[in-house]
Amino acid sequence: MCGIWALFGSDECLSVQCLSAMKIAHRGPDAFRFENVNGFTNCCFGFHRLAVVDQLYGMQPIRVKKFPYLWLCYNGEIYNFKQLQKQFGFEYQTLVDGEVILHLYNRGGIEQTASMLDGVFAFILLDTANRKVFLARDTYGVRPLFKVLTDDGFLGVCSEAKGLINLKHSTSLCSKVEPFLPGHYEVLDLKPSGKVASVELVKFHSCKDEPLHVTCDTVEALPSGFDLETVKSNIRILFENAVRKRLMAHRRIGCLLSGGLDSSLVAAVLLKLMKEININYPLQTFAIGMENSPDLLAARKVAAHIGSEHHEVILNTEEGIQAIEDVIFSLETYDITTIRASIGMYLVSKYIRKKTDSVVIFSGEGSDELTQGYIYFHKAPSPEEAAEESERLLKELYLFDVLRADRTTAAHGLELRVPFLDHRFTSYYLSLPAELRIPKNGIEKYLLRLAFEDSNLLPKEILWRPKEAFSDGIASVKKSWFSILQDYIDQQVDDLLLEKAAERYPFNPPKTKESYYYRQIFEKHYPGRSSWLPHYWMPRWVKATDPSARTLKHYKSATQE
């Protein structure tokens, strides 16, 4: 996990512009480099490093003797760099996994490069010999990337939007900072002036398609067919493989553990594999919640079962409320459910950074979208519509859960790893018949639970524990976190302000005091940037006015069982 930043064709003094690069310093607390491009005095790269692999040669932009005309700035992890080296005979000059991007590009161009990378990534690749700039981002947008391109060819690229919004430019043209789309690459021509012109934006991978890099995966062809035993076995094999490949790190590995199915499965498989490869330190797991909250109790049970070194962070209401503004600044969104869920994750990440030496943090993001874990999936009119909704949620992850997971951990210099969003695992799960993937017997994620039922990885009551929204699970059973937030915000926002909300904020107008409060803070830091959120996250097929699971009729908390 790092922070990348680059400018092409800047009219302003670069020493002034580079102050913007410091806005993302939290993403790479270990080192910083600012480098001009030879022959292009108005082009430069900025890089904030979190050293996870190759402590000696890991600084960026990466340049190697073999390709002196290539400059690479990337944020991510490429899990198959050794397999690609073996398959194509690449001669690496560093231990940095991202070096493979240079070799792939030299061998087969940008399309093959993006398609053959098994991992999470956002990168800027400059080819001065052919005067091209390439941008690319992984399938689900696990690693963030923003860009701004003016009509006269000034390009700014950054891991977070906050590194671009204060850039200076001579023209008064509207410069729209926007997220770079996941699963895409863009080709831009680099002019002698250092300015650029976009040539094409190409989608190189869809979540349903089996990735090209499957040809050099450590797991070979799986048995075909949809009989239940085959499917269950394939799910276990691919999920375990997803966790195994993510063990690549020279820093200590930890795991978020809410006590729900997803994080518990990740933690259990992770600890099992760490033992197998003789990692000689205990796995630290981390839970956050109010005293005796459902998540804390469940996480305690899982940690005892798997034998992790477990840490509990007790959330107090005042601390949570005080963190709201910092969280919104980090997130760059005003989405209600994203903010609610981010507060706990932000505070547990803060604890990990201050109190432990774990840096590479595993988490369960992506499972709810992939395996139909949200409670509203019980209301899906048909298996086919449920499958369509699952794909829609996966495509929008970069706006919601993946955004939350990246920003809350990156704010504290941690690197997130999300095995449920492994390309091969997701494409296989989405290839299964729609009927197999829907909730069954009133239980969401039924197939995933069934696949691990006989594994003894988790206690049965955890494997079959009903869904808790993260923002609800961290609260006491008596009062949910979102209702505690609402009580506080009711005192902060006047009724009259809410009545005129649509006039003040015509795009995505706030409908509640809570959403108004968040929007105010967002607009304070990012005025006029409301289009970064196309729409609020809300459940489908139900008449919901609030995104919290606790407002849905199907919801069953521990106190009701």
Side-chain angles (χ1 to χ4, degrees), residues 5 7 13-23 32 34 44 48 167:
W5 181 88
L7 299 185
C13 172
L14 290 178
S15 60
V16 174
Q17 300 280 50
C18 77
L19 293 174
S20 285
M22 302 316 290
K23 293 283 178 70
F32 171 67
F34 184 70
C44 62
H48 294 275
L167 289 174

Side-chain angles (χ1 to χ4, degrees), residues 252 257 283-288 296 303 308-313 348 351 355-356:
R252 185 167 183 162
L257 179 59
L283 173 67
Q284 293 180 328
T285 50
F286 304 95
I288 186 167
L296 279 190
S308 64
E309 180 195 300
H310 192 54
H311 296 242
E312 289 184 355
V313 181
V348 77
Y351 170 90
K355 307 281 189 182
T356 79

